[in-house]
Amino acid sequence: MVIIVSGNPATGKTTIAKKIAKEKKLEYIDVNDLIKKNRLYSYYSKKDESLVVDTKKLNSFLIKLINKNKDVVLDSHLTHYLNPKYVDMCIITICDLKELKKRLEKRKYSKEKIRNNLDCEIFDVCRTEALEAGHKVKIIKTSK
Ligand SMILES: Nc1ncnc2c1ncn2[C@@H]1O[C@H](COP(=O)(O)OP(=O)(O)O)[C@@H](O)[C@H]1O
Ligand SMILES: [Mg+2]
């Protein structure tokens, strides 16, 4: 079973992905780690304060990985760009804005980055993109 866990930063992807992997006896895959180790990015954006990922490279890397191991939970906000034919379940984590702001501040992100991440949650970016890509989406709220 291939499960992807997407969602905006600090909404609870890693927490949920690890929990599901344990429960369903699947391998947990830290996609951000894969991106760094395999240089699946194009450059570092100072403006966005993050690596700009080459999603084409990432997709083909993940497809190869899935072809070898079909019992995985993939943790990243970029996994929903995968073609739904490779994916059995797409989980999107969401979080209440007040709680999310607290979590982002804890990460010591800049004011701009916090603002941008909150805007992404307000505009439901990950859920919208996942639905547009054709995934069967399951929402998990990680706040009260
Ligand atoms: N269900 C939850 N209830 C309470 N706190 C949570 C929950 N899920 C995540 N958190 C907290 O929110 C923060 C961000 O979670 P994390 O799983 O790292 O998010 P992401 O991987 O999406 O960036 C962590 O401090 C984590 O402990
Ligand atoms: Mg994470």
Side-chain angles (χ1 to χ4, degrees):
M1 180 175 220
V2 175
I3 299 177
I4 61 176
V5 181
S6 185
N8 295 311
T11 53
K13 293 180 294 297
T14 301
T15 310
I16 292 290
K18 284 185 173 166
K19 190 167 161 240
I20 292 173
K22 207 172 174 189
E23 279 170 9
K24 296 194 185 284
K25 295 191 167 49
L26 303 169
E27 190 184 345
Y28 167 81
I29 309 272
D30 182 343
V31 175
N32 292 324
D33 201 41
L34 284 184
I35 289 168
K36 281 183 202 137
K37 284 187 177 148
N38 299 281
R39 295 183 169 270
L40 305 171
Y41 51 83
S42 316
Y43 60 95
Y44 178 81
S45 162
K46 232 178 170 178
K47 183 178 145 277
D48 297 332
E49 299 164 59
S50 64
L51 290 171
V52 176
V53 175
D54 185 332
T55 48
K56 258 193 189 161
K57 259 195 209 170
L58 175 64
N59 274 343
S60 49
F61 192 93
L62 291 178
I63 290 164
K64 266 188 232 154
L65 185 147
I66 289 167
N67 282 332
K68 273 188 230 155
N69 184 357
K70 288 189 176 54
D71 289 311
V72 287
V73 181
L74 303 176
D75 168 12
S76 160
H77 71 288
L78 297 167
T79 51
H80 62 260
Y81 294 126
L82 265 175
N83 187 316
K85 72 178 181 191
Y86 299 104
V87 177
D88 297 299
M89 191 195 286
C90 171
I91 291 170
I92 303 286
T93 51
I94 61 168
C95 179
D96 167 75
L97 292 175
K98 222 172 153 187
E99 164 77 16
L100 187 59
K101 186 160 182 267
K102 269 191 220 157
R103 292 185 191 175
L104 291 165
E105 281 167 353
K106 230 175 164 179
R107 288 190 175 174
K108 308 241 181 293
Y109 287 167
S110 72
K111 269 203 174 117
E112 288 75 18
K113 189 163 177 169
I114 291 174
R115 187 66 256 162
N116 285 340
N117 284 337
L118 287 173
D119 286 347
C120 285
E121 191 64 3
I122 290 166
F123 289 110
D124 226 359
V125 171
C126 286
R127 171 166 32 184
T128 307
E129 286 181 353
L131 287 171
E132 277 173 5
H135 289 291
K136 249 188 274 160
V137 170
K138 187 181 173 212
I139 304 291
I140 297 184
K141 192 174 183 193
T142 66
S143 58
K144 274 173 219 146

Coordinates of all heavy atoms in Angstrom, one line a residue, residues 29-112:
I29 N 9.0 7.0 4.9 CA 10.0 7.6 4.0 C 10.0 9.1 4.2 O 9.0 9.8 3.9 CB 9.8 7.3 2.5 CG1 9.6 5.8 2.2 CG2 10.9 7.9 1.6 CD1 10.8 5.0 2.0
D30 N 11.1 9.6 4.6 CA 11.3 11.1 4.8 C 11.7 11.7 3.4 O 12.9 11.6 3.1 CB 12.3 11.3 5.9 CG 12.5 12.8 6.2 OD1 12.1 13.7 5.3 OD2 13.1 13.1 7.2
V31 N 10.7 12.2 2.7 CA 11.0 12.6 1.3 C 11.9 13.9 1.3 O 12.7 14.0 0.4 CB 9.7 12.9 0.6 CG1 9.9 13.5 -0.8 CG2 8.9 11.6 0.4
N32 N 11.8 14.7 2.3 CA 12.7 15.9 2.4 C 14.2 15.5 2.5 O 15.1 16.1 1.9 CB 12.4 16.8 3.6 CG 11.0 17.4 3.4 OD1 10.7 17.8 2.3 ND2 10.3 17.6 4.5
D33 N 14.4 14.4 3.2 CA 15.7 13.8 3.4 C 16.2 13.3 2.0 O 17.4 13.5 1.6 CB 15.6 12.7 4.4 CG 17.0 12.4 5.0 OD1 17.7 13.3 5.3 OD2 17.3 11.2 5.2
L34 N 15.3 12.6 1.3 CA 15.6 12.1 0.0 C 16.0 13.2 -1.0 O 16.9 13.0 -1.8 CB 14.4 11.3 -0.6 CG 14.1 9.9 -0.1 CD1 12.9 9.4 -0.9 CD2 15.3 9.0 -0.3
I35 N 15.3 14.3 -0.9 CA 15.5 15.4 -1.8 C 16.9 16.0 -1.6 O 17.7 16.2 -2.5 CB 14.5 16.5 -1.5 CG1 13.1 16.0 -2.1 CG2 14.9 17.8 -2.2 CD1 11.9 16.9 -1.6
K36 N 17.3 16.1 -0.3 CA 18.7 16.6 0.0 C 19.7 15.6 -0.4 O 20.7 16.0 -1.1 CB 18.8 16.9 1.5 CG 18.1 18.2 1.8 CD 18.3 18.6 3.3 CE 17.2 19.5 3.7 NZ 16.6 19.2 5.0
K37 N 19.6 14.4 0.0 CA 20.6 13.4 -0.3 C 20.8 13.1 -1.7 O 21.9 12.7 -2.2 CB 20.3 12.1 0.5 CG 20.6 12.2 2.0 CD 20.5 10.9 2.7 CE 20.8 11.1 4.2 NZ 20.1 10.2 5.0
N38 N 19.8 13.2 -2.5 CA 19.8 12.9 -3.9 C 19.8 14.1 -4.8 O 19.6 14.0 -6.0 CB 18.7 11.9 -4.3 CG 18.8 10.6 -3.5 OD1 19.6 9.7 -3.9 ND2 18.1 10.5 -2.5
R39 N 19.9 15.2 -4.2 CA 20.0 16.5 -4.9 C 18.9 16.7 -5.9 O 19.1 17.0 -7.1 CB 21.3 16.7 -5.7 CG 22.5 16.8 -4.7 CD 23.8 17.0 -5.4 NE 24.9 17.3 -4.4 CZ 25.2 18.6 -4.1 NH1 24.5 19.6 -4.6 NH2 26.1 18.8 -3.2
L40 N 17.6 16.5 -5.4 CA 16.5 16.6 -6.3 C 15.9 18.0 -6.3 O 14.7 18.2 -6.5 CB 15.4 15.6 -5.9 CG 15.8 14.1 -5.8 CD1 14.8 13.3 -5.1 CD2 16.2 13.6 -7.2
Y41 N 16.8 19.0 -6.0 CA 16.4 20.4 -6.0 C 17.1 21.1 -7.1 O 18.1 20.7 -7.6 CB 16.6 21.0 -4.7 CG 18.0 20.8 -4.1 CD1 19.0 21.6 -4.5 CD2 18.3 19.8 -3.3 CE1 20.3 21.5 -4.0 CE2 19.6 19.6 -2.8 CZ 20.6 20.4 -3.2 OH 21.8 20.2 -2.7
S42 N 16.6 22.3 -7.4 CA 17.2 23.1 -8.5 C 18.1 24.2 -7.9 O 19.2 24.4 -8.3 CB 16.2 23.9 -9.3 OG 15.1 23.0 -9.6
Y43 N 17.7 24.8 -6.8 CA 18.5 25.8 -6.2 C 17.9 26.2 -4.8 O 16.8 25.8 -4.5 CB 18.6 27.1 -7.0 CG 17.2 27.7 -7.3 CD1 16.8 28.8 -6.6 CD2 16.5 27.3 -8.4 CE1 15.5 29.4 -6.9 CE2 15.3 27.9 -8.7 CZ 14.8 28.9 -7.9 OH 13.6 29.5 -8.2
Y44 N 18.6 27.0 -4.0 CA 18.1 27.5 -2.8 C 17.5 28.9 -3.0 O 18.2 29.7 -3.5 CB 19.2 27.5 -1.7 CG 18.7 28.1 -0.4 CD1 18.0 27.3 0.5 CD2 18.8 29.4 0.0 CE1 17.5 27.8 1.7 CE2 18.3 29.9 1.2 CZ 17.7 29.1 2.0 OH 17.2 29.6 3.2
S45 N 16.2 29.0 -2.6 CA 15.6 30.4 -2.8 C 15.7 31.1 -1.5 O 15.2 30.7 -0.4 CB 14.1 30.2 -3.1 OG 13.5 31.4 -2.9
K46 N 16.5 32.2 -1.5 CA 16.6 33.1 -0.4 C 15.3 33.7 0.0 O 15.0 33.8 1.2 CB 17.7 34.2 -0.6 CG 18.7 34.2 0.4 CD 19.8 35.3 0.1 CE 20.7 35.4 1.3 NZ 21.7 36.4 1.0
K47 N 14.5 34.0 -1.0 CA 13.3 34.7 -0.8 C 12.3 33.8 0.0 O 11.6 34.2 0.9 CB 12.7 35.1 -2.1 CG 11.4 35.9 -2.0 CD 10.9 36.3 -3.4 CE 9.4 36.2 -3.5 NZ 8.8 34.9 -3.8
D48 N 12.2 32.5 -0.5 CA 11.3 31.5 0.2 C 11.9 30.8 1.4 O 11.3 30.1 2.1 CB 10.9 30.5 -0.8 CG 10.1 31.1 -2.0 OD1 9.4 32.2 -1.7 OD2 10.1 30.6 -3.1
E49 N 13.3 31.1 1.6 CA 14.0 30.4 2.6 C 13.9 28.9 2.6 O 13.7 28.3 3.6 CB 13.5 31.0 4.0 CG 13.7 32.5 4.2 CD 12.9 33.0 5.3 OE1 13.1 32.5 6.4 OE2 12.1 33.9 5.1
S50 N 13.9 28.4 1.4 CA 13.9 26.9 1.2 C 14.4 26.5 -0.1 O 14.6 27.3 -1.0 CB 12.4 26.4 1.4 OG 11.6 26.9 0.4
L51 N 14.7 25.2 -0.2 CA 15.1 24.6 -1.5 C 14.0 24.6 -2.5 O 12.9 24.2 -2.1 CB 15.7 23.2 -1.3 CG 17.0 23.0 -0.5 CD1 17.2 21.6 -0.1 CD2 18.1 23.6 -1.3
V52 N 14.3 24.9 -3.7 CA 13.3 24.8 -4.7 C 13.5 23.4 -5.4 O 14.5 23.2 -6.0 CB 13.4 25.9 -5.8 CG1 12.4 25.8 -6.9 CG2 13.2 27.3 -5.1
V53 N 12.5 22.6 -5.2 CA 12.6 21.2 -5.7 C 12.2 21.1 -7.1 O 11.3 21.7 -7.7 CB 11.7 20.3 -4.8 CG1 11.7 18.9 -5.3 CG2 12.1 20.4 -3.3
D54 N 13.0 20.2 -7.8 CA 12.8 19.9 -9.2 C 11.7 18.8 -9.1 O 12.0 17.6 -9.0 CB 14.1 19.4 -9.8 CG 13.9 19.1 -11.3 OD1 12.8 18.8 -11.7 OD2 14.9 19.2 -12.0
T55 N 10.4 19.1 -9.3 CA 9.4 18.1 -9.1 C 9.4 17.0 -10.1 O 8.9 15.9 -9.8 CB 8.0 18.8 -9.0 OG1 7.8 19.7 -10.1 CG2 7.7 19.6 -7.8
K56 N 9.9 17.3 -11.3 CA 10.0 16.2 -12.3 C 11.0 15.2 -11.8 O 10.7 14.0 -11.9 CB 10.5 16.8 -13.6 CG 9.4 17.0 -14.6 CD 10.0 17.3 -16.0 CE 8.9 17.7 -17.0 NZ 9.4 18.4 -18.1
K57 N 12.1 15.6 -11.4 CA 13.2 14.7 -10.9 C 12.6 14.0 -9.7 O 12.8 12.8 -9.5 CB 14.4 15.5 -10.4 CG 15.6 15.5 -11.4 CD 16.8 16.0 -10.6 CE 17.8 16.7 -11.5 NZ 18.8 17.4 -10.8
L58 N 12.0 14.7 -8.8 CA 11.4 14.1 -7.6 C 10.4 13.0 -7.9 O 10.5 11.9 -7.4 CB 10.8 15.1 -6.7 CG 10.1 14.6 -5.4 CD1 11.0 13.9 -4.5 CD2 9.3 15.7 -4.7
N59 N 9.5 13.3 -8.9 CA 8.5 12.3 -9.3 C 9.1 11.1 -9.8 O 8.7 10.0 -9.4 CB 7.5 12.9 -10.3 CG 6.4 13.7 -9.7 OD1 6.1 13.5 -8.5 ND2 5.8 14.5 -10.4
S60 N 10.1 11.2 -10.7 CA 10.6 10.0 -11.3 C 11.4 9.2 -10.2 O 11.4 8.0 -10.2 CB 11.5 10.2 -12.5 OG 12.4 11.3 -12.3
F61 N 12.0 9.9 -9.3 CA 12.7 9.2 -8.2 C 11.7 8.5 -7.3 O 12.0 7.3 -7.0 CB 13.5 10.3 -7.3 CG 14.4 9.7 -6.3 CD1 15.8 9.5 -6.7 CD2 14.0 9.3 -5.1 CE1 16.7 8.9 -5.8 CE2 14.9 8.7 -4.2 CZ 16.2 8.5 -4.5
L62 N 10.6 9.1 -7.0 CA 9.6 8.4 -6.1 C 8.9 7.2 -6.9 O 8.7 6.2 -6.2 CB 8.5 9.4 -5.7 CG 9.0 10.5 -4.7 CD1 7.9 11.5 -4.4 CD2 9.6 9.9 -3.4
I63 N 8.7 7.4 -8.2 CA 8.1 6.3 -8.9 C 9.1 5.1 -8.9 O 8.6 3.9 -8.7 CB 7.8 6.7 -10.4 CG1 6.6 7.7 -10.3 CG2 7.4 5.5 -11.2 CD1 6.4 8.5 -11.6
K64 N 10.3 5.3 -9.1 CA 11.3 4.2 -9.0 C 11.3 3.5 -7.6 O 11.3 2.3 -7.5 CB 12.7 4.7 -9.3 CG 13.1 4.6 -10.8 CD 14.6 5.0 -10.9 CE 14.8 6.0 -12.0 NZ 16.0 6.8 -11.8
L65 N 11.2 4.4 -6.6 CA 11.2 3.9 -5.2 C 9.9 3.0 -5.0 O 10.0 1.9 -4.4 CB 11.2 5.1 -4.3 CG 11.3 4.9 -2.8 CD1 12.1 6.0 -2.2 CD2 9.9 4.8 -2.2
I66 N 8.8 3.5 -5.5 CA 7.5 2.8 -5.3 C 7.5 1.5 -6.1 O 7.0 0.5 -5.6 CB 6.3 3.7 -5.8 CG1 6.1 4.8 -4.8 CG2 5.1 2.9 -5.9 CD1 5.2 5.9 -5.3
N67 N 8.2 1.5 -7.2 CA 8.2 0.2 -8.0 C 9.0 -0.8 -7.3 O 8.8 -2.0 -7.5 CB 8.8 0.5 -9.4 CG 7.8 1.1 -10.3 OD1 6.6 0.9 -10.1 ND2 8.2 1.9 -11.3
K68 N 10.0 -0.4 -6.5 CA 10.8 -1.4 -5.7 C 10.1 -1.8 -4.4 O 10.1 -2.9 -4.0 CB 12.1 -0.8 -5.3 CG 13.2 -1.0 -6.4 CD 14.5 -0.5 -5.9 CE 15.2 0.4 -7.0 NZ 16.2 1.3 -6.4
N69 N 9.4 -0.8 -3.8 CA 8.8 -1.0 -2.5 C 7.4 -0.4 -2.5 O 7.2 0.8 -2.5 CB 9.7 -0.4 -1.4 CG 9.1 -0.7 0.0 OD1 8.0 -1.3 0.2 ND2 9.8 -0.3 1.0
K70 N 6.4 -1.3 -2.5 CA 5.0 -0.8 -2.5 C 4.3 -0.7 -1.2 O 3.1 -0.5 -1.1 CB 4.2 -1.7 -3.4 CG 4.5 -1.5 -4.9 CD 3.6 -2.2 -5.8 CE 4.0 -1.9 -7.3 NZ 5.4 -2.2 -7.6
D71 N 5.1 -0.8 -0.1 CA 4.6 -0.7 1.2 C 5.2 0.5 1.9 O 6.1 0.3 2.8 CB 4.7 -2.0 2.0 CG 3.8 -3.0 1.5 OD1 2.6 -2.8 1.3 OD2 4.3 -4.2 1.2
V72 N 4.8 1.7 1.5 CA 5.5 2.9 2.1 C 4.5 4.0 2.5 O 3.4 4.1 1.9 CB 6.5 3.5 1.0 CG1 7.7 2.6 0.8 CG2 5.8 3.7 -0.3
V73 N 5.0 4.8 3.4 CA 4.3 6.1 3.7 C 5.3 7.2 3.3 O 6.4 7.3 3.9 CB 3.9 6.2 5.2 CG1 3.2 7.5 5.4 CG2 3.1 5.0 5.6
L74 N 4.9 8.0 2.4 CA 5.8 9.1 1.9 C 5.4 10.4 2.6 O 4.2 10.9 2.5 CB 5.7 9.3 0.4 CG 6.0 8.0 -0.5 CD1 5.7 8.3 -1.9 CD2 7.4 7.6 -0.3
D75 N 6.3 11.0 3.3 CA 6.1 12.3 4.0 C 6.7 13.5 3.3 O 7.9 13.6 3.3 CB 6.7 12.0 5.4 CG 6.7 13.3 6.2 OD1 6.1 14.4 5.9 OD2 7.4 13.3 7.3
S76 N 5.8 14.3 2.7 CA 6.3 15.6 2.2 C 5.1 16.3 1.5 O 4.2 15.7 1.0 CB 7.3 15.4 1.1 OG 7.4 16.5 0.2
H77 N 5.2 17.7 1.6 CA 4.1 18.5 0.9 C 4.3 18.5 -0.6 O 3.5 19.2 -1.3 CB 4.2 19.9 1.5 CG 5.4 20.7 1.0 ND1 6.7 20.4 1.5 CD2 5.5 21.7 0.1 CE1 7.5 21.2 0.8 NE2 6.8 22.0 0.0
L78 N 5.3 17.7 -1.1 CA 5.4 17.7 -2.6 C 5.0 16.3 -3.1 O 5.0 16.1 -4.3 CB 6.9 17.9 -2.9 CG 7.4 19.3 -2.5 CD1 8.9 19.3 -2.7 CD2 6.8 20.4 -3.4
T79 N 4.5 15.4 -2.3 CA 4.1 14.1 -2.7 C 2.8 14.1 -3.5 O 2.6 13.2 -4.4 CB 3.9 13.1 -1.5 OG1 3.1 13.7 -0.6 CG2 5.3 12.8 -0.9
H80 N 2.0 15.1 -3.3 CA 0.7 15.0 -4.1 C 0.9 15.4 -5.5 O -0.1 15.3 -6.3 CB -0.4 15.9 -3.4 CG 0.0 17.4 -3.3 ND1 0.5 18.0 -2.2 CD2 -0.1 18.3 -4.3 CE1 0.7 19.3 -2.5 NE2 0.4 19.5 -3.7
Y81 N 2.1 15.7 -6.0 CA 2.3 15.9 -7.4 C 2.5 14.5 -8.1 O 2.5 14.5 -9.3 CB 3.6 16.7 -7.6 CG 3.4 18.2 -7.2 CD1 4.3 18.8 -6.3 CD2 2.3 18.9 -7.6 CE1 4.1 20.1 -5.9 CE2 2.1 20.2 -7.2 CZ 3.0 20.8 -6.3 OH 2.9 22.1 -5.9
L82 N 2.6 13.5 -7.3 CA 2.7 12.1 -7.9 C 1.4 11.8 -8.6 O 0.3 12.2 -8.2 CB 2.9 11.1 -6.8 CG 4.3 10.6 -6.5 CD1 4.2 9.7 -5.3 CD2 4.9 9.9 -7.6
N83 N 1.5 11.1 -9.7 CA 0.3 10.6 -10.4 C -0.5 9.7 -9.5 O 0.1 8.7 -8.9 CB 0.8 9.8 -11.7 CG -0.4 9.5 -12.6 OD1 -1.4 9.0 -12.1 ND2 -0.2 9.7 -13.9
P84 N -1.8 9.9 -9.4 CA -2.6 9.1 -8.4 C -2.6 7.6 -8.7 O -2.9 6.8 -7.8 CB -4.1 9.7 -8.7 CG -3.9 11.0 -9.3 CD -2.6 11.0 -10.0
K85 N -2.2 7.2 -9.9 CA -2.2 5.8 -10.2 C -1.2 5.0 -9.4 O -1.2 3.8 -9.2 CB -2.0 5.5 -11.7 CG -0.6 5.8 -12.2 CD -0.5 5.5 -13.7 CE 0.9 5.7 -14.2 NZ 1.1 5.7 -15.7
Y86 N -0.2 5.8 -8.8 CA 0.8 5.1 -8.0 C 0.4 5.2 -6.5 O 1.1 4.6 -5.7 CB 2.2 5.9 -8.1 CG 2.7 5.8 -9.5 CD1 2.7 6.9 -10.3 CD2 3.3 4.7 -10.0 CE1 3.2 6.9 -11.6 CE2 3.8 4.6 -11.3 CZ 3.8 5.7 -12.1 OH 4.3 5.7 -13.3
V87 N -0.7 5.8 -6.2 CA -1.0 6.1 -4.8 C -2.3 5.5 -4.4 O -3.3 5.6 -5.1 CB -1.1 7.7 -4.6 CG1 -1.5 8.1 -3.2 CG2 0.2 8.4 -5.0
D88 N -2.3 4.8 -3.2 CA -3.6 4.2 -2.7 C -4.4 5.2 -1.9 O -5.6 5.1 -1.8 CB -3.3 2.9 -1.9 CG -2.6 1.9 -2.8 OD1 -3.3 1.5 -3.8 OD2 -1.4 1.5 -2.6
M89 N -3.7 6.0 -1.1 CA -4.3 6.9 -0.2 C -3.5 8.2 -0.1 O -2.3 8.2 0.1 CB -4.5 6.3 1.2 CG -5.4 7.1 2.1 SD -5.3 6.6 3.8 CE -6.1 5.0 3.7
C90 N -4.2 9.3 -0.2 CA -3.6 10.6 0.0 C -4.2 11.3 1.2 O -5.3 11.6 1.3 CB -3.8 11.5 -1.2 SG -3.3 13.2 -1.1
I91 N -3.3 11.5 2.2 CA -3.8 12.1 3.4 C -3.3 13.6 3.4 O -2.1 13.8 3.1 CB -3.2 11.4 4.7 CG1 -3.9 10.0 4.8 CG2 -3.4 12.2 6.0 CD1 -3.3 9.1 5.8
I92 N -4.1 14.5 3.7 CA -3.7 15.9 3.9 C -4.0 16.3 5.3 O -5.1 16.2 5.9 CB -4.6 16.8 3.0 CG1 -4.5 16.4 1.5 CG2 -4.2 18.3 3.1 CD1 -3.2 16.7 0.8
T93 N -2.9 16.7 6.0 CA -3.0 17.2 7.3 C -3.4 18.7 7.3 O -2.9 19.5 6.5 CB -1.7 17.0 8.1 OG1 -0.6 17.5 7.4 CG2 -1.4 15.5 8.4
I94 N -4.3 19.0 8.2 CA -4.7 20.4 8.4 C -4.6 20.8 9.8 O -4.6 20.0 10.7 CB -6.1 20.8 7.8 CG1 -7.2 20.0 8.5 CG2 -6.1 20.5 6.3 CD1 -8.6 20.4 8.2
C95 N -4.6 22.1 10.1 CA -4.4 22.6 11.5 C -5.1 23.9 11.6 O -5.0 24.8 10.7 CB -2.9 22.7 11.8 SG -2.6 23.3 13.5
D96 N -5.7 24.1 12.8 CA -6.3 25.4 13.1 C -5.2 26.5 13.1 O -4.1 26.3 13.4 CB -6.8 25.2 14.6 CG -7.1 26.6 15.2 OD1 -8.2 27.1 14.8 OD2 -6.4 27.0 16.1
L97 N -5.6 27.7 12.6 CA -4.6 28.7 12.3 C -3.9 29.3 13.5 O -2.7 29.5 13.5 CB -5.3 29.9 11.6 CG -5.8 29.6 10.1 CD1 -6.5 30.8 9.6 CD2 -4.6 29.2 9.2
K98 N -4.6 29.4 14.6 CA -4.0 29.9 15.8 C -2.9 28.9 16.3 O -1.8 29.3 16.6 CB -5.1 30.0 16.9 CG -4.9 31.3 17.7 CD -6.1 31.5 18.6 CE -5.8 32.3 19.8 NZ -6.9 32.4 20.7
E99 N -3.2 27.7 16.3 CA -2.3 26.6 16.7 C -1.1 26.5 15.7 O 0.0 26.4 16.1 CB -3.1 25.3 16.8 CG -2.2 24.0 16.8 CD -1.6 23.7 18.2 OE1 -2.1 24.3 19.2 OE2 -0.6 22.9 18.2
L100 N -1.5 26.6 14.4 CA -0.4 26.6 13.4 C 0.6 27.7 13.6 O 1.8 27.5 13.4 CB -1.0 26.6 12.0 CG -0.1 26.4 10.8 CD1 0.6 25.0 10.9 CD2 -0.8 26.5 9.5
K101 N 0.1 28.9 13.9 CA 1.0 30.0 14.1 C 2.0 29.7 15.2 O 3.2 30.0 15.1 CB 0.2 31.3 14.4 CG 0.9 32.5 14.4 CD 0.0 33.8 14.3 CE 0.8 35.0 14.3 NZ 0.9 35.6 15.6
K102 N 1.5 29.1 16.3 CA 2.3 28.8 17.4 C 3.4 27.8 17.0 O 4.5 27.9 17.4 CB 1.4 28.1 18.5 CG 0.9 29.1 19.5 CD 0.3 28.4 20.7 CE -1.0 29.0 21.2 NZ -1.9 28.1 21.9
R103 N 3.0 26.8 16.2 CA 3.9 25.8 15.8 C 5.0 26.4 14.9 O 6.2 26.0 15.0 CB 3.2 24.6 15.0 CG 2.3 23.8 15.9 CD 1.7 22.7 15.1 NE 0.6 22.0 15.7 CZ -0.1 21.0 15.2 NH1 0.2 20.7 13.9 NH2 -1.1 20.5 15.8
L104 N 4.6 27.3 14.0 CA 5.6 27.9 13.1 C 6.5 28.8 13.9 O 7.7 28.8 13.6 CB 4.9 28.7 12.0 CG 4.1 27.8 11.0 CD1 3.1 28.6 10.2 CD2 5.0 27.0 10.1
E105 N 6.0 29.5 14.9 CA 6.9 30.4 15.7 C 7.9 29.6 16.4 O 9.1 30.0 16.6 CB 6.0 31.2 16.6 CG 5.4 32.4 15.9 CD 4.3 33.1 16.7 OE1 3.9 32.6 17.8 OE2 3.8 34.1 16.2
K106 N 7.5 28.4 16.9 CA 8.4 27.5 17.6 C 9.6 27.1 16.7 O 10.7 26.8 17.2 CB 7.6 26.2 18.0 CG 7.8 25.9 19.5 CD 6.9 24.7 19.7 CE 7.2 24.0 21.0 NZ 6.2 22.9 21.2
R107 N 9.3 27.1 15.4 CA 10.4 26.7 14.5 C 11.3 27.8 14.2 O 12.3 27.7 13.4 CB 9.8 26.2 13.2 CG 9.2 24.8 13.4 CD 8.8 24.2 12.0 NE 8.3 22.9 12.3 CZ 7.7 22.1 11.4 NH1 7.6 22.5 10.1 NH2 7.3 20.9 11.7
K108 N 11.0 29.0 14.7 CA 11.9 30.2 14.6 C 12.0 30.6 13.1 O 13.0 31.1 12.6 CB 13.3 30.0 15.1 CG 13.3 29.5 16.6 CD 14.0 30.5 17.5 CE 14.1 30.0 18.9 NZ 12.8 29.9 19.6
Y109 N 10.9 30.4 12.3 CA 10.9 30.9 11.0 C 10.8 32.4 11.0 O 10.3 33.0 12.0 CB 9.6 30.3 10.2 CG 9.7 28.9 9.8 CD1 8.6 28.2 9.4 CD2 10.9 28.2 9.9 CE1 8.6 26.9 9.0 CE2 10.9 26.8 9.5 CZ 9.8 26.2 9.1 OH 9.8 24.9 8.7
S110 N 11.2 33.1 9.9 CA 11.0 34.5 9.9 C 9.5 34.9 9.8 O 8.7 34.0 9.5 CB 11.7 35.0 8.6 OG 11.0 34.7 7.5
K111 N 9.3 36.2 10.1 CA 7.9 36.6 10.1 C 7.2 36.4 8.7 O 6.1 36.0 8.6 CB 7.8 38.1 10.3 CG 7.7 38.5 11.8 CD 7.1 39.9 12.0 CE 6.8 40.1 13.4 NZ 7.5 41.2 14.0
E112 N 8.1 36.6 7.6 CA 7.5 36.5 6.3 C 7.2 35.0 6.0 O 6.2 34.7 5.4 CB 8.6 36.9 5.2 CG 8.8 38.4 5.1 CD 9.6 39.0 6.3 OE1 10.3 38.2 7.0 OE2 9.5 40.2 6.5

